[in-house]
Amino acid sequence: MPDWFQTPPGQYLLAWERTQLDRAVADIFGFHALQLGLPGLDCLAANRMPHRWLADCEPLAGADMPPVGRRAVCLVTDFAALPFPAASLDLVVLPHTLELNADPHATLREVERVLVPEGRVVICGLNPVSLWGFRQRRARLLQRAGWGELFLPEATDFIGYWRMRDWLRLLSFEVEVGHFGCYKPALSKEHWLRRFDWMDRMGPRWWPILGAVYFLVAVKRVRGMTLLGPAWKSVPALAAAPVSVANSHSAGRVGRLTD
């Protein structure tokens, strides 16, 4: 997958995702943020949290290391068993992490575990209902016949947009942002991709769900949780002593005795 991102369609995809990520994570506040996978893309570059980590399944080579000073710690870990306590992270970014993972359900459950209530997860995924997905499926059929090559990496396992939303809903996530991008055809040459720039302008209006990639931001909801604000002012307790109240009957009796 990292090698494919160096190709013209891979660079085109990364450029769109970098714009969406910078826009989304810049306004997410907290103390601890984590990126799982895809070290070649700095998903937390625009985020201002003081503690940011990059985790990958394999040790990072020199070419894959992020720029010096961008993140405090780089971790090598199993995505289904993250070395963080429960409810300890404010933001987790998954750039194509689930579709490249052998057990995406376990990874998503682990993300739900480590996120604090009202914490956010950001997901980028390839859309099977797109021109890119169609070319990939056709290439797989041709490969069974003994010829042709895949457009996308072999390790990629498409997870549809609505299927991803269902997974998030089952884990008590609420989707805040969801949209598609990269509407150009599945072309390998840069000059051919540039000829279809108009499709990125027309796509969101005329065929919005057919983009090659989707982008999701979801927030973790905890049912029954009540956020308590600070007690700025103490409320004085009401007096418990009994108070006698004169009614009209007793007032009339007092008037007769006075006369």
Side-chain angles (χ1 to χ4, degrees):
M1 193 72 176
D3 295 335
W4 182 83
F5 279 118
Q6 302 304 317
T7 64
Q11 291 294 307
Y12 162 59
L13 185 72
L14 285 181
W16 184 86
E17 291 181 341
R18 187 177 292 110
T19 301
Q20 306 306 313
L21 287 165
D22 289 347
R23 185 180 304 163
V25 304
D27 296 329
I28 300 177
F29 299 98
F31 296 95
H32 306 282
L34 173 67
Q35 174 183 338
L36 292 181
L38 198 57
L41 177 62
D42 192 353
C43 301
L44 301 173
N47 188 259
R48 289 167 281 181
M49 294 188 191
H51 307 290
R52 292 174 290 170
W53 290 273
L54 166 67
D56 204 3
C57 294
E58 300 177 356
L60 302 180
D64 296 331
M65 288 294 291
V68 177
R70 289 292 185 91
R71 301 185 184 90
V73 181
C74 294
L75 306 173
V76 179
T77 181
D78 182 3
F79 291 168
L82 298 174
F84 295 97
S88 61
L89 301 180
D90 300 284
L91 169 65
V92 178
V93 184
L94 306 175
H96 302 281
T97 307
L98 298 177
E99 62 198 20
L100 296 173
N101 195 280
D103 193 349
H105 297 88
T107 299
L108 198 57
R109 285 194 299 268
E110 185 68 359
V111 169
E112 189 275 336
R113 182 188 70 84
V114 299
L115 274 176
V116 300
E118 304 301 311
R120 283 166 172 78
V121 58
V122 180
I123 300 174
C124 299
L126 292 169
N127 180 21
V129 187
S130 65
L131 295 177
W132 292 27
F134 172 75
R135 175 168 175 176
Q136 183 77 352
R137 289 193 299 271
R138 187 188 66 174
R140 284 176 176 170
L141 294 175
L142 292 176
Q143 276 198 335
R144 295 176 186 175
W147 60 288
E149 61 179 10
L150 298 177
F151 178 72
L152 297 171
E154 175 64 31
T156 305
D157 186 16
F158 288 108
I159 302 174
Y161 173 79
W162 298 109
R163 183 181 175 194
M164 183 65 70
R165 289 182 66 110
D166 289 339
W167 289 5
L168 292 170
R169 189 179 299 110
L170 290 175
L171 292 174
S172 299
F173 282 98
E174 180 180 330
V175 176
E176 290 185 325
V177 176
H179 54 263
F180 296 82
C182 298
Y183 294 91
K184 298 180 184 180
L187 301 171
S188 301
K189 301 298 183 180
E190 184 176 358
H191 67 278
W192 280 106
L193 285 171
R194 287 198 300 266
R195 292 190 178 187
F196 289 90
D197 288 344
W198 60 272
M199 295 188 69
D200 282 336
R201 296 189 297 269
M202 302 294 292
R205 179 176 180 180
W206 296 106
W207 47 88
I209 64 172
L210 300 181
V213 61
Y214 58 83
F215 183 83
L216 285 169
V217 180
V219 58
K220 176 183 174 181
R221 301 297 189 192
V222 178
R223 307 303 177 189
M225 182 186 68
T226 303
L227 298 178
L228 299 178
W232 296 108
K233 191 180 298 183
S234 59
V235 180
L238 297 177
V243 178
S244 59
V245 179
N247 54 28
S248 59
H249 179 71
S250 60
R253 181 182 301 175
V254 172
R256 289 193 298 270
L257 291 176
T258 303
D259 295 341

